[in-house]
Amino acid sequence: MLASATITWMRGRRDETGRVDELIHAARDGRGGALVLLGEAGIGKSTLLGHARSAAAGFRVVEASGAEFEIELPYAGLHQLCVPLTRTFPVAPDLFQAGLKTLELLVYAARERPLLCLIDDAHWLDTASRRAMAFAARRIAAEPIVMIFAAREPGVLDELPGLRVSGLTDAEARAVLADGHRTLDEQVRERIVAEARGNPLALLELPSAGGFGPVADGPAGADSPAGGSGPAGDGFGPVADGPARVERSYRDRLAALPDGARLLLTVASADPTGDPGLLWPAVRGLEVDVPAATASGLVEFGTRVRFCHPLARSAVYRAAPAADRRTAHGVLAAVTDPAADPDRRAWHRAQAGTGPDDDIAAELERSAARARTRGGVVAAAAFLERAAALSLDPVARAERTLAAAQANLDAGHTEAAERLLTTVAVDRHTSRMDDPGGERQAARVDDPGGERHAARVDLLRGQIAFARRDDTDGPMLVLRAASRTAGTDPAWSRERVLDALEMALVAGRADGVLDLVLAAAPASRTPDVLSALKILTSDGHSAAVPLLRAALAEPLWTRHPGLAVMIASELWDPHTHAAIVEWLIKAGRESGSPQVLRLGLAQEASRAALAGDLDAATTAIAEEEAIADATGLPRVYYHRLQVAAMRGRPDEALFAAALAAPGSLVANVHWAEAVLRNGIGDYPAALAAAQRAVSCGDLFLAGAALPELVEAAVRCGAPATEALRSLTERTDASGTATGLGVAAYAKGLVLGVEDHYREAVERLAESPLLPYRGRAHLLYGEWLRRQGRRRDSRQHLRTAHETLSAAGIEAFARRAADELRATGERRASPDSAQLTDQEQAIAREVAAGATSGEVAARLFISPRTVDAHLRNIFRKLGVTSRRQLRDHPALSAPR
């Protein structure tokens, strides 16, 4: 863009340039930010990016732009942004890791001077790049980094601050024309102002486009071509859209060029990286006209290949004959290093094809396999989808389509997965009268194994429904998949019943889906987890626990991890639960599946919360929520509820959001509220919440809520015998130290027998669940004090207070402190209650000697954000240094 034109475009842009300047100024002071410029093509977004570049003196500047034909090539845009920062850019394994690595790279690049990232045509960024960039952009507030995006329509990067770039006023438009075209007569000038509709690019380009005459009656901006209703070339008729008219002027300029110049421009437009090291080798064997292409003003050849405007690039690419576009992609594929960038080479080959091609499809499938190997499920999905479209063989096409749908589902892209399922070739001639429920609609796919394909389609539809929190249709669709192969592949069918069971358990029993799944389960010759759960439902824990324990082996973890963790919890077996969680996290990281990793991290947060390691729980939550943020997956709440319950901090907004969330297991909410209310001594509310949790009858949660129900009922003078009986039935059958210890203190509460309290203390000393250990001492100490044995009570109350306060179990620790004061001993409440969960986690990490960078990596924030939190922590705790944190009583390590 010529300097004079740029100055002209700045007319009427005081507010917009002011907003950009504010971002640049803030970044100089270490406060980063992001901005999305929104507006139609030619409105001045790219010029505002140029203004940012000029204003950022002393900044390091990196640029990227989306490309229409690469919108489905994963990480194409991100590659442009990151390669200038490091020549060893690591291939990220998944969306979350890509976002995290991008953030780390940007922070690293900005360590010596501020960094400005300019991303044009963001509406054409591939989804993986857009999400990774957005992930980073939301986390740069404390870094000297500015990220500015330009996009044509809303709906792109909506989660970031936006600025609508509007058109110029008529007065400003006339001033622009006066700057650049002083010889225009008034009638032509007014015609141009009317057609341009305030679009600066149109104001600059239309005077040279010709064909201006009186404006016809009718709405300005109609889509008909200018002059379309009058004699050819007279310019009469409805006015054209400004950007469309400008794009047409670019095409007209292109049409006047010799063939060699047009071909060169087409090849340049097909390579959005703008790398001359690719362009010149690619056109070496073609007859191209470099001088004519340069003289056109459409492109500039230098250290980068730059088009005068993104609209010019798209105009060149769209105007090129299909054969020229195929030639362009073909020569670019030929010069792309198959070892260094095999996936982009495969993508160019796909664009160069004239139709279906099994060889290219196979190459794309290999790209998908490479992506899968490194955990790149997003890339795998894109390659498989393109491979399916290029497949000649109908069986291979169906297989690749189903594989692409599965990969999209694994990546959290449920809409894409559902769209792909509709493209699987299905015989739709089945009579609706013969099949009123549509159950055989997918019965015949165009391959010999049609019924199996139909079952896979049902399975995927059920998984999609469940991912969208449709807790009824999900399990039932999976059951239908199981029924299709019950006769031909009973082992596969039974696995699908387990899938449906796992979904139903996560959804809960309230709607009866779990019972329907168990009723539909086929008989098995050998005992397994299905038969064990049927026996649990019909005959109780004493009969079912041996079968459940036998079924809870590692193969169940790998195939049905959600079911495995629930069974381990139902058995009051924290050691097995921890082993499953460790496997889940490892498997999630190695596979790159955000679904598996999220489950592992959420369960790790749950494990850590129940173990009293609230800092580890907060760290796991931070990573789990970062993955959800990066992938756009729905939020889960149960881990936050458990931390809030253990911490003892009422959070009405959190509990309300959890109850309102689609697919939320409501028993989780009620159990967490019961724990929280018992902690703060609101026993009537605890009793009501525990009763609601138990009434749901859900695996694990009903049993976990029984100790809360017993304690609240005893405190309220309500009957607790039946709850105690149900609890002891479960824990006696499980036989674990944790379960037997919890049941023992529940017996002490109901029966008032000291031996039960002693048994609880002894058994829970072997349990990794610290909060229950501390509560056993608390309840024993409370009972002793009420028996008039104040001296004996102090020992257990001190142990309870020290154990619980050190772990941050604040409400129960306050109960212990209150009881100690009642014995005449003063004991302060923990100062950590002043800190938020994140501040608490940061304070403990720093107190243990971690650097800001190490803490940032664990909590998925930037180092400067850690430092900002530390300033608040110092103020709240009354300390002035990291060294003083190490000795602060509120941050001593849990015992």
Side-chain angles (χ1 to χ4, degrees):
M1 188 68 61
L2 294 175
S4 60
T6 302
I7 294 170
T8 295
W9 279 31
M10 287 296 101
R11 283 188 177 274
R13 295 293 183 230
R14 180 174 299 175
D15 292 343
E16 292 88 342
T17 56
R19 182 80 174 270
V20 169
D21 291 343
E22 286 175 5
L23 279 174
I24 300 294
H25 180 74
R28 293 188 194 279
D29 294 333
R31 303 188 312 277
L35 182 64
V36 182
L37 303 172
L38 291 165
E40 66 180 14
I43 203 66
K45 304 184 300 296
S46 299
T47 304
L48 286 169
L49 295 183
H51 171 78
R53 189 187 303 109
S54 300
F59 279 59
R60 185 172 187 177
V61 181
V62 290
E63 301 179 57
S65 63
E68 187 174 9
F69 66 87
E70 284 197 337
I71 198 167
E72 295 179 344
L73 178 58
Y75 303 116
L78 189 64
H79 189 265
Q80 293 180 55
L81 188 72
C82 293
V83 164
L85 298 178
T86 172
R87 288 297 173 184
T88 57
F89 174 61
V91 177
D94 55 51
L95 273 175
F96 163 60
Q97 289 295 330
L100 180 60
K101 293 299 182 185
T102 300
L103 175 62
E104 291 176 354
L105 182 61
L106 298 183
V107 169
Y108 181 80
R111 70 195 188 285
E112 294 179 355
R113 54 178 172 151
L115 177 68
L116 173 64
C117 303
L118 303 175
I119 302 94
D120 210 345
D121 279 344
H123 50 281
W124 281 337
L125 285 174
D126 59 278
T127 301
S129 293
R130 188 171 67 246
R131 286 183 171 169
M133 291 180 190
F135 178 92
R138 288 191 293 272
R139 288 164 173 80
I140 57 173
E143 302 294 334
I145 301 171
V146 176
M147 298 183 74
I148 305 180
F149 302 81
R152 291 186 190 173
E153 60 268 339
V156 177
L157 301 164
D158 279 347
E159 63 270 43
L160 299 179
L163 176 63
R164 169 64 61 179
V165 183
S166 56
L168 303 177
T169 66
D170 285 355
E172 291 165 344
R174 292 186 187 98
V176 168
L177 287 174
D179 286 343
H181 302 276
R182 298 182 183 278
T183 59
L184 290 175
D185 64 49
E186 183 177 355
Q187 185 180 19
V188 172
R189 183 173 65 249
E190 292 305 310
R191 169 68 163 157
I192 292 172
V193 168
E195 283 209 25
R197 291 168 31 195
N199 186 288
L201 181 61
L203 291 167
L204 291 173
E205 293 289 336
L206 289 182
S208 59
F212 292 97
V215 181
D217 294 336
D223 276 337
S224 302
S229 62
D234 68 1
F236 288 85
V239 297
D241 175 74
R245 184 71 181 267
V246 170
E247 186 168 352
R248 192 157 59 247
S249 77
Y250 285 142
R251 289 201 299 268
D252 291 343
R253 197 188 306 181
L254 184 70
L257 296 176
D259 292 346
R262 290 201 302 272
L263 182 57
L264 174 58
L265 290 170
T266 300
V267 178
S269 72
D271 175 33
T273 67
D275 183 0
L278 278 179
L279 176 64
W280 299 124
V283 301
R284 189 170 293 145
L286 302 178
E287 295 183 3
V288 297
D289 189 336
V290 178
T294 304
S296 72
L298 293 170
V299 71
E300 176 185 307
F301 300 109
T303 55
R304 284 193 68 191
V305 180
R306 294 179 183 272
F307 280 81
C308 65
H309 190 273
L311 205 59
R313 177 193 292 277
S314 63
V316 168
Y317 189 79
R318 291 177 179 180
D324 283 0
R325 288 201 298 269
R326 289 194 295 271
T327 296
H329 287 292
V331 296
L332 287 168
V335 298
T336 299
D337 189 339
D341 202 353
D343 299 338
R344 188 179 291 274
R345 178 179 181 274
W347 202 259
H348 275 308
R349 284 196 68 200
Q351 300 289 339
T354 57
D357 186 313
D358 281 337
D359 288 339
I360 296 176
E363 185 174 352
L364 288 165
E365 194 169 32
R366 288 192 292 272
S367 290
R370 281 191 297 271
R372 274 284 193 187
T373 299
R374 61 181 184 251
V377 289
V378 176
F383 288 127
L384 285 167
E385 184 171 352
R386 186 64 175 156
L390 294 177
S391 299
L392 281 167
D393 179 74
V395 175
R397 183 169 60 251
E399 284 290 330
R400 286 163 177 161
T401 301
L402 288 175
Q406 182 67 63
N408 271 291
L409 179 61
D410 291 344
H413 300 166
T414 55
E415 291 183 3
E418 186 173 44
R419 172 179 53 77
L420 283 165
L421 289 183
T422 65
T423 68
V424 178
V426 176
D427 182 358
R428 299 188 180 276
H429 298 295
T430 306
S431 168
R432 288 186 178 274
M433 293 182 64
D434 292 338
D435 185 27
E439 293 193 1
R440 296 196 306 276
Q441 183 179 5
R444 293 183 58 204
V445 182
D446 57 349
D447 79 305
E451 193 67 17
R452 179 60 177 268
H453 271 279
R456 289 175 63 191
V457 170
D458 280 340
L459 173 62
L460 282 165
R461 284 180 175 148
Q463 291 171 332
I464 291 167
F466 186 71
R468 290 175 169 173
R469 302 295 195 261
D470 186 338
D471 300 329
T472 301
D473 285 351
M476 300 314 292
L477 281 165
V478 175
L479 276 182
R480 193 167 84 183
S483 69
R484 290 187 185 279
T485 61
T488 57
D489 192 346
W492 190 88
S493 175
R494 200 163 177 81
E495 284 296 309
R496 301 296 73 78
V497 174
L498 283 171
D499 287 336
L501 178 65
E502 190 170 31
M503 292 178 180
L505 286 170
V506 172
R509 298 186 77 137
D511 57 5
V513 175
L514 174 59
D515 298 316
L516 288 173
V517 173
L518 288 174
S524 175
R525 294 179 180 178
T526 57
D528 63 2
V529 67
L530 276 174
S531 53
L533 287 168
K534 281 188 170 184
I535 291 172
L536 177 65
T537 301
S538 60
D539 301 335
H541 285 73
S542 59
V545 163
L547 295 174
L548 287 172
R549 199 175 294 285
L552 193 60
E554 190 165 339
L556 184 66
W557 307 359
T558 60
R559 298 195 304 270
H560 306 283
L563 177 58
V565 296
M566 286 194 170
I567 291 174
S569 300
E570 181 70 14
L571 297 176
W572 289 88
D573 187 351
H575 297 288
T576 300
H577 179 253
I580 298 170
V581 168
E582 182 180 357
W583 176 87
L584 265 173
I585 293 175
K586 180 181 178 183
R589 295 198 193 285
E590 290 177 351
S591 69
S593 169
Q595 305 275 20
V596 174
L597 184 54
R598 282 190 74 196
L599 175 60
L601 291 166
Q603 284 296 315
E604 166 60 15
S606 178
R607 180 212 63 79
L610 292 171
D613 191 349
L614 302 188
D615 300 330
T618 300
T619 300
I621 289 170
E623 184 172 0
E624 186 278 324
E625 291 185 341
I627 296 173
D629 185 21
T631 57
L633 293 170
R635 291 189 65 180
V636 297
Y637 289 92
Y638 65 86
H639 47 37
R640 279 204 173 277
L641 291 171
Q642 289 167 338
V643 170
M646 291 297 169
R647 188 81 77 191
R649 297 181 183 180
D651 187 337
E652 302 300 334
L654 173 63
F655 279 75
L659 279 173
S664 178
L665 190 55
V666 295
N668 255 316
V669 184
H670 301 320
W671 169 82
E673 185 175 5
V675 174
L676 188 149
R677 298 299 171 184
N678 271 332
I680 62 179
D682 185 356
Y683 299 115
L687 177 61
Q691 287 171 334
R692 289 193 296 270
V694 170
S695 68
C696 292
D698 291 321
L699 198 67
F700 161 55
L701 286 167
L706 286 169
E708 310 307 325
L709 177 55
V710 169
E711 180 172 0
V714 168
R715 301 302 188 200
C716 292
T721 305
E722 180 57 29
L724 178 62
R725 184 203 62 76
S726 182
L727 174 62
T728 54
E729 179 200 353
R730 297 162 189 261
T731 57
D732 287 350
S734 74
T736 66
T738 299
L740 293 172
V742 170
Y745 74 58
K747 290 176 186 176
L749 281 165
V750 175
L751 304 176
V753 176
E754 184 172 5
D755 284 348
H756 293 316
Y757 287 115
R758 287 176 177 165
E759 179 188 358
V761 168
E762 291 170 1
R763 289 190 181 277
L764 287 169
E766 305 171 22
S767 171
L769 304 191
L770 179 147
Y772 289 111
R773 194 190 318 155
R775 289 175 69 179
H777 283 283
L778 171 61
L779 292 171
Y780 191 11
E782 288 176 337
W783 182 83
L784 287 168
R785 189 182 72 79
R786 284 160 178 74
Q787 300 301 309
R789 296 163 58 183
R790 296 171 60 181
R791 180 176 298 178
D792 292 339
S793 71
R794 284 174 183 155
Q795 175 186 348
H796 291 284
L797 292 172
R798 287 177 193 139
T799 300
H801 182 267
E802 291 167 3
T803 301
L804 296 168
S805 61
I809 315 295
E810 295 162 1
F812 286 104
R814 281 193 293 271
R815 267 180 54 181
D818 291 343
E819 288 287 327
L820 279 169
R821 279 192 289 273
T823 69
E825 180 175 315
R826 280 205 165 276
R827 191 61 67 106
S829 296
D831 291 337
S832 62
Q834 305 173 52
L835 305 180
T836 66
D837 287 344
Q838 189 171 60
E839 289 171 345
Q840 178 84 359
I842 291 171
R844 286 190 187 274
E845 292 278 3
V846 172
T851 65
S852 293
E854 291 168 341
V855 176
R858 290 168 194 162
L859 296 181
F860 305 94
I861 53 180
S862 75
R864 289 175 185 263
T865 300
V866 172
D867 291 338
H869 280 300
L870 274 175
R871 289 191 287 273
N872 288 332
I873 293 166
F874 288 175
R875 176 178 54 78
K876 290 180 178 181
L877 297 184
V879 299
T880 58
S881 70
R882 293 171 180 248
R883 181 175 300 174
Q884 289 176 338
L885 277 182
R886 296 172 192 169
D887 301 325
H888 198 281
L891 302 175
S892 56
R895 294 184 178 182

